[in-house]
Each structure stands twice: as structure tokens, then as C-alpha cells.
Amino acid sequence: MYLPPSGLFTGLLEPLLLTGLWTSDPRLRDCMRHLRQAMRESAGTVMVDQKLFRKCVGANILLLTQAFRRKFIIPDFEVFASNMDQLYYSTQRQEGGHVADYIPQLAKFSPNLWGVSLCTVDGQRHSAGDTKVPFCLQSCVKPLEYAIAVHEIGTEHVHRYVGKEPSGLKFNQLSLNDEDKPHNPMVNAGAIVISSLLKPNSNKAERFDYVMEYLKKMAGTEYVGFSNATFQSEKETGDRNFAIGYYLKEKKCFPENADMIAALDFYFQLCSIEVTCESGCVMAATLANGGICPITGERVLSAEAVRNTLSLMHSCGMYDFSGQFAFHVGLPAKSGVSGAVLLVVPNIMGIMCWSPPLDRVGNSVRGIHFCQELVSLFNFHNYDNLRHFARKLDPRRLSLDDRNKSVVNLMFAAYSGDVSALRRFALSAVDMEEKDYDSRTGLHVASAEGAPTYFSGIKLFSHIACTSPYCSGL
Ligand code: DON
């Protein structure tokens, strides 16, 4: 078949994009390389013959099959993406809040900036708004730093120095728990101590590269940058953090031989690491996926490190709003003073929201609103009942319409003895035990029709026992 480049798009790429896969997905690298090569080599039209088709899909056949058979965690991604767009636009109307202005690098951002990106555990992607603009992670780096520390040196070692309890105090409070440890890794004191635990015997440059490498892997090699201007400003205006540092030193919170000033410096650097919504949501998706980056398949963090991190995000991630957020949203999240909210829907997806205006507590006004709306629409709250609570949408399930269509097609093929259709359904992973409104399976319908030509078709699913009350025992 000859396809112009636009035909190549509508014929091959558009259906692929509707499944949620992006052409930049590293897992589709070979497929995209062959397609681009074919486009370069052809003048205007591309001959998509069997050879080219095989070459393009061959290397990525498993992923493509999964995509087109709707076997991803969100089977009807098109509908889901349009729901997310609606949430995005309704949240855009939220006014109010103030952009952080303690340093010029944060104050410069327009209050109108607003972006949301998501990446599922199968690497399905969707973005709306200002999702390619770099911003600093600020406190969103705290759970990532903690996860790296637990992955590298273990839970026991890390928690020798830092607690696990919400502080009930401001994130930059000069305060320790009654064992003289920082309350948890999500407050400044905890993050500063943890920055002294990472690669203690390396020099500053090695330590920075080491964390950057981890973050890059979590982001599936997408954008992770560094704002030197932010780093310099954080240091210049960081009196409170210096005070915390000296207090931690006085109370012997650091490991022996740790250099407190170096730990502080590293903490300021970590806050100044940049992402976009698009790369940040892949980091969140790595957490949602138990530590394996969905778009590269690489294990970046241990399951234990991820579980600890999500638990602490859940109880301590949203400043003084953490309890309310856990109550209303019921999902692990971490916010930062840049207006970022890193949200994890465990085993489903990671989301990065970003909008600079902050509320009184320091959370992004639009970020919080979006998270609340998200769990009002979908049954993502940790304690939403997945079996009996039908008022919310469950995007993990195909719609009733789609399931009905598939039952009708199956029954019709069984009724009319269309063996090749039955084979096609079986090969494309249709559930051959699907039942109609009378609990009849295709086997029952085919048997009821009784013609011998149906036999080979019936044999395809002859292991199934029909449970219909109308069936006299097949
Ligand atoms: O430590 C600070 O003051 C900031 N650079 C971190 C800001 C932040 O996002 C607050 N987080 N808990």
C-alpha cells in the first residue's frame, strides 16, 4: 500500500497515539527509526509493503500487540485523556494564591502557567498545558532523594538518622523529635541530614552526578536539568536552612565526619534540579510502578525504597495540609515551592502538576484543586471501594459499551458458525468465556445451533463449561 506521509500518520501513527504511546517512547525506537528511514528514502509517498511493515513492527511486536489489543492499564485511553483535559480546563479557572517571591528565579514565573502530564505504568502518556517549561523540583526532590538513599543504603541505616512521623509543624521549622532526629525526610531538616548520607566518601561533583544519574533514569532519560541561578539564590537567602544545619550539628544528627556545610550545599543543589511536567510525570510513574521506569523498563529503585517513599509522601508530603490531603485525596504526593505537585496513583500512573501560585500553606492552588477533582471523578482514592462503588469512573475497565460490543460479536460468530471470526477473537485475546444477558457463552449458542460445521469453532473453546440456566449441561 502506498501512503503519503500524512497517510502514514493516519494509517499507522494516529491509531498508535490513541493508545497513549508516544513516538518518543524509547521502547518504540526501532519502529520509529525504520519509519523515518522509509520516509526519507521515498519521494512523497511511502510504500508500506509487508516487508516494511514487518520491519517496523517486528522489533516492538509485544508492545504494539498489547497496545492495539487494549491490554494496557487504561484500555480506553482516548476517553480517559479527554476526561483529563476536562479536569485540566476546569482547574485552569481557579484563581488566587501567590507566586513564591523569596528568590527572583521563582518570582519571574507568570501566575497563569498551568500544566499537567501523566504517564501510566504501561508508559501511556498525556499532557495538557505548559508541560514543556522547565521548573525547579524544590521540595519535590525530597521523596526522590529519600528513595535513592533507601535504595542505596537501606531502610534501617537511613532511619537511624531520620524519623517517620509527620511533624505537624512548618517544613522549615527548627525542630527535632524526642529522639533528637528530624521528624521525617519530607521536612528540610530530614532532607538535609539525608543529603549527608548519600555517597559520603565522594567529592561534591561526584555526589551531584550520582543523584542526577538516578533522577535521569527515573525520568526515562527525559529532561532533567539544573538551575545554577536558583542554586546561588537559595544559598544566599538560606539563613533558615543554615540555622537548621547548625542546630542539627549541635544535636549530633549527622553521621560522624559528615561535613554540615557540604550537606547544606548539596541540599540547595538538589532543590535547584529542573524538570518539566513531561519528565516529572515519568519520575512519578517510576514510583507508581514499584521502581521500574515504565518507558525504559529499567529497575531504578528497589520495591522497598518505593514503598517507604510512598508511605511517607502519603503522611507527610503536603506540608501542613498532609492530613487533609490524605483524607480528601488519599494518594501519595509531594509539593514544592515552585508550584509543582508530584502525585502517584500506585500501580496506575504518575502525574506532575505545575502552576506557580501557592496557597497559604505553600501548595499549588491549581495543583491541589486538580488532585481533588481527579479523585472525585475516578476511584483513585486509596480507600475507594473498587467493587461496589459505581458512582466514580474506573478507567482500568473497558466501558460497558465496549464489553457489550465484544459479547455481541462473539455470540453472533458462534450463532452463524463463523469459525474464522471465532479464531480471530481467540487470537486477539477476547475472553471466550464472556456471557450474554442470559449467562450463555458462545459455546452454548454454537451448540444450540448444532450444525457440524461449527464443530471446529466450538473446539476452539471447548474447555469452557456453560453455566447458563438454559443449558442442559455441556
Ligand atoms: O528549603 C527551602 O527553603 C526551599 N528551597 C525548599 C522549598 C520547598 O519547596 C519547601 N518544601 N518543603
Side-chain angles (χ1 to χ4, degrees):
M1 142 174 78
Y2 282 100
L3 287 176
S6 63
L8 195 64
F9 181 76
T10 44
L12 289 176
L13 296 183
E14 198 179 25
L16 187 69
L17 296 180
L18 293 179
T19 69
L21 289 183
W22 280 3
T23 51
S24 59
D25 192 310
R27 296 167 298 173
L28 291 174
R29 197 173 293 130
D30 287 339
C31 177
M32 291 304 141
R33 189 166 45 83
H34 290 307
L35 276 178
R36 270 186 219 110
Q37 192 184 344
M39 274 155 88
R40 268 199 310 272
E41 286 170 2
S42 65
T45 51
V46 184
M47 170 63 183
V48 185
D49 56 8
Q50 204 183 21
K51 196 163 147 234
L52 176 60
F53 185 74
R54 269 172 184 265
K55 208 153 69 167
C56 290
V57 302
N60 306 114
I61 190 71
L62 286 179
L63 181 68
L64 293 169
T65 310
Q66 221 189 338
F68 288 121
R69 283 187 187 163
R70 306 214 270 181
K71 294 292 171 192
F72 284 153
I73 184 82
I74 311 274
D76 201 342
F77 197 73
E78 218 183 322
V79 169
F80 179 70
S82 110
N83 279 324
M84 295 301 277
D85 282 342
Q86 276 173 28
L87 291 184
Y88 171 83
Y89 288 114
S90 67
T91 304
Q92 193 169 35
R93 291 195 286 273
Q94 289 293 308
E95 301 277 330
H98 297 283
V99 178
D101 58 3
Y102 69 95
I103 54 172
Q105 291 71 29
L106 290 174
K108 71 176 183 194
F109 283 116
S110 157
N112 299 325
L113 287 162
W114 167 224
V116 180
S117 293
L118 70 93
C119 173
T120 72
V121 291
D122 285 316
Q124 296 164 283
R125 315 277 301 263
H126 185 66
S127 277
D130 304 302
T131 56
K132 291 184 191 295
V133 184
F135 55 86
C136 286
L137 278 169
Q138 291 287 355
S139 283
C140 291
V141 84
K142 286 170 176 148
L144 309 176
E145 175 196 11
Y146 169 73
I148 297 169
V150 172
H151 177 77
E152 281 285 331
I153 55 187
T155 306
E156 194 275 328
H157 188 101
V158 172
H159 285 287
R160 224 180 278 164
Y161 297 94
V162 189
K164 306 170 186 138
E165 201 67 51
S167 66
L169 300 166
K170 272 182 76 68
F171 68 93
N172 60 359
Q173 197 83 15
L174 228 151
S175 146
L176 298 173
N177 67 17
D178 46 18
E179 288 176 70
D180 272 351
K181 290 181 192 176
H183 293 271
N184 64 67
M186 305 296 147
V187 293
N188 288 15
I192 292 168
V193 167
I194 291 176
S195 64
S196 76
L197 303 180
L198 291 168
K199 281 266 173 233
N201 301 319
S202 306
N203 66 35
K204 284 183 180 176
E206 285 166 348
R207 224 178 290 165
F208 178 73
D209 278 349
Y210 162 85
V211 170
M212 280 298 265
E213 215 151 282
Y214 261 106
L215 296 178
K216 194 93 187 153
K217 284 183 190 169
M218 283 184 220
T221 74
E222 292 191 4
Y223 179 77
V224 184
F226 176 70
S227 165
N228 187 44
T230 305
F231 167 57
Q232 299 300 343
S233 291
E234 287 288 343
K235 255 198 317 196
E236 276 164 24
T237 59
D239 291 343
R240 169 60 67 107
N241 285 320
F242 279 97
I244 293 174
Y246 281 105
Y247 184 53
L248 292 169
K249 189 174 169 204
E250 183 215 342
K251 294 289 185 182
K252 308 222 171 329
C253 296
F254 291 106
E256 243 175 82
N257 305 324
D259 176 344
M260 181 272 284
I261 295 293
L264 264 179
D265 204 65
F266 193 25
Y267 168 76
F268 293 134
Q269 287 174 33
L270 297 180
C271 290
S272 310
I273 289 173
E274 284 183 337
V275 294
T276 61
C277 283
E278 285 184 4
S279 59
C281 79
V282 182
M283 291 173 164
T286 299
L287 295 178
N289 198 30
I292 298 175
C293 175
I295 61 169
T296 58
E298 185 179 3
R299 173 166 289 287
V300 188
L301 297 166
S302 65
E304 180 181 331
V306 170
R307 195 189 57 193
N308 289 1
T309 305
L310 296 181
S311 305
L312 289 168
M313 285 167 74
H314 187 85
S315 55
C316 320
M318 300 298 283
Y319 307 122
D320 305 348
F321 191 66
S322 297
Q324 291 217 52
F325 193 87
F327 181 86
H328 290 291
V329 178
L331 291 171
K334 184 72 196 85
S335 59
V337 74
S338 50
V341 178
L342 181 86
L343 179 74
V344 179
V345 189
N347 303 303
I348 304 181
M349 71 180 79
I351 298 178
M352 179 62 100
C353 301
W354 176 60
S355 185
L358 307 177
D359 62 16
R360 209 176 31 80
V361 191
N363 292 318
S364 165
V365 171
R366 293 197 181 95
I368 292 283
H369 184 84
F370 181 86
C371 296
Q372 288 173 334
E373 292 299 301
L374 181 79
V375 295
S376 311
L377 185 61
F378 299 109
N379 59 1
F380 289 162
H381 189 297
N382 194 24
Y383 301 113
D384 272 335
N385 188 290
L386 300 184
R387 301 186 67 187
H388 309 295
F389 192 62
R391 275 213 330 259
K392 290 193 190 182
L393 302 179
D394 188 347
R396 284 159 284 198
R397 292 171 185 234
L398 270 176
S399 71
L400 202 59
D401 248 18
D402 286 317
R403 268 180 290 144
N404 284 346
K405 257 186 244 159
S406 126
V407 177
V408 168
N409 290 339
L410 181 63
M411 295 303 154
F412 191 74
Y415 168 79
S416 55
D418 186 347
V419 174
S420 52
L422 288 172
R423 284 217 178 90
R424 205 169 50 245
F425 295 149
L427 288 171
S428 49
V430 166
D431 179 3
M432 303 300 277
E433 298 182 47
E434 199 89 67
K435 297 181 183 80
D436 71 2
Y437 54 90
D438 270 338
S439 290
R440 287 174 301 201
T441 63
L443 174 63
H444 177 266
V445 173
S447 307
E449 291 309 309
T453 46
Y454 304 162
F455 189 69
S456 56
I458 294 166
K459 265 204 339 204
L460 266 176
F461 47 111
S462 60
H463 62 287
I464 305 163
C466 186
T467 54
S468 165
Y470 298 93
C471 178
S472 53
L474 278 164

